[in-house]
Amino acid sequence: MVRTAVVTGAGSGIGRACALGLLADGWTVVLTGRREERLRESARLADTRDRAVVLPADVTDAESVDALFSAVVERWGRLDLLFNNAADVMPYTPTENVDVADWHRVMDSIATGTFLCSRAAFRIMKTQAPRGGRIVNNGAPSAQMPRPDSVAFTAAKHAVAGITRSLSLDGRRYDISCGQIDIGNVTPADRPQPAVRQSDGSLRVEPTMDIRHVVDMVRAMAALPVGVNIQSVLVMPSAMPYVGRG
């Protein structure tokens, strides 16, 4: 049976790397996001391009999301895995200076996008045969310990943590599992590691980890059988100043 996954934000970074990892494990992966050219770049990196399918969509738009998942069902008849990874961010900004448009942009891309895609996935997974599936949400350490001047991102990731718990509870009766991976500092593939905000307001370049450790964890979560779940996991460099942050 074909195992079908949808990865949002698959045009770069963690989304691209995890999509390629799932393809290596034999999944058929729908790579989605707003920028088709970046999605096609991701697909070209796959060794099994016949299983890497590009379907652009805007996760903040309900009609676009519904059309995406309708196309998945029309083509394969089922959905086994959703990785909610898409996110729009903004520079560190003091709360009193945050523009409302930036607030909505960050919240919509992370919280609303996670909800809309998960809602569509639930509608499929609860009625397909065999029934059930898995949703993995990309959280962040900020879902537990915020950085200064990051109110929109922090609020959005707290929302994702709440969505994860609600989906995990609501999915029980349909054999739908939902877990969350909170990801620490990852070495950027195409630029130097930026300095990040510390609890005292200063900027500091922190330790990072290779993105492959994130990919390995997502692959492990995806490989679990129905009825088994990793509810929440934090993957980070051991020396990252997270424990005791703030």
Side-chain angles (χ1 to χ4, degrees), residues 2-10 13-32 42 45-53 79-85 134-137 181 211-212 214-224:
V2 174
R3 295 182 301 163
T4 305
V6 170
V7 177
T8 71
I14 291 168
R16 171 179 286 180
C18 289
L20 295 175
L22 292 169
L23 284 162
D25 285 345
W27 290 82
T28 293
V29 179
V30 175
L31 299 91
T32 193
S42 298
L45 295 173
D47 293 331
T48 51
R49 297 183 187 178
D50 59 315
R51 288 189 282 103
V53 181
L79 173 68
D80 299 287
L81 173 68
L82 166 63
F83 181 35
N84 281 311
N85 167 75
R134 186 174 307 278
I135 298 172
V136 177
N137 292 331
I181 178 169
I211 199 169
R212 65 185 172 87
V214 176
V215 175
D216 288 346
M217 182 55 66
V218 171
R219 292 166 74 177
M221 296 171 80
L224 291 172

Side-chain angles (χ1 to χ4, degrees), residues 15 41 49 92 109 112 114 145 161 199:
E41 288 176 14
R49 297 183 187 178
Y92 294 119
S109 68
T112 303
T114 296
M145 298 286 187
S199 59

Side-chain angles (χ1 to χ4, degrees), residues 32-34 55-71 116-117 120:
T32 193
R34 290 176 297 181
L55 290 177
D58 180 354
V59 300
T60 71
D61 182 87
E63 291 185 0
S64 181
V65 169
D66 288 344
L68 166 68
F69 285 87
S70 292
L116 289 175
C117 291

Side-chain angles (χ1 to χ4, degrees), residues 156-176:
K157 290 302 186 179
H158 271 71
V160 169
I163 291 170
T164 299
R165 295 185 185 101
S166 289
L167 297 180
S168 184
L169 177 61
D170 295 346
R172 288 177 181 174
R173 57 187 180 271
Y174 305 123
D175 298 320
I176 301 172

Side-chain angles (χ1 to χ4, degrees), residues 137-223:
N137 292 331
N138 185 348
S142 292
Q144 307 299 326
M145 298 286 187
R147 293 188 186 275
D149 301 333
S150 64
V151 65
F153 181 79
T154 296
K157 290 302 186 179
H158 271 71
V160 169
I163 291 170
T164 299
R165 295 185 185 101
S166 289
L167 297 180
S168 184
L169 177 61
D170 295 346
R172 288 177 181 174
R173 57 187 180 271
Y174 305 123
D175 298 320
I176 301 172
S177 298
C178 183
Q180 179 167 315
I181 178 169
D182 295 334
I183 300 169
N185 298 332
V186 175
T187 303
D190 56 355
R191 62 190 185 280
Q193 171 67 18
V196 291
R197 188 74 76 197
Q198 304 299 301
S199 59
D200 63 1
S202 64
L203 292 171
R204 173 182 166 190
V205 176
E206 295 181 351
T208 62
M209 62 183 173
D210 193 286
I211 199 169
R212 65 185 172 87
H213 303 302
V214 176
V215 175
D216 288 346
M217 182 55 66
V218 171
R219 292 166 74 177
M221 296 171 80

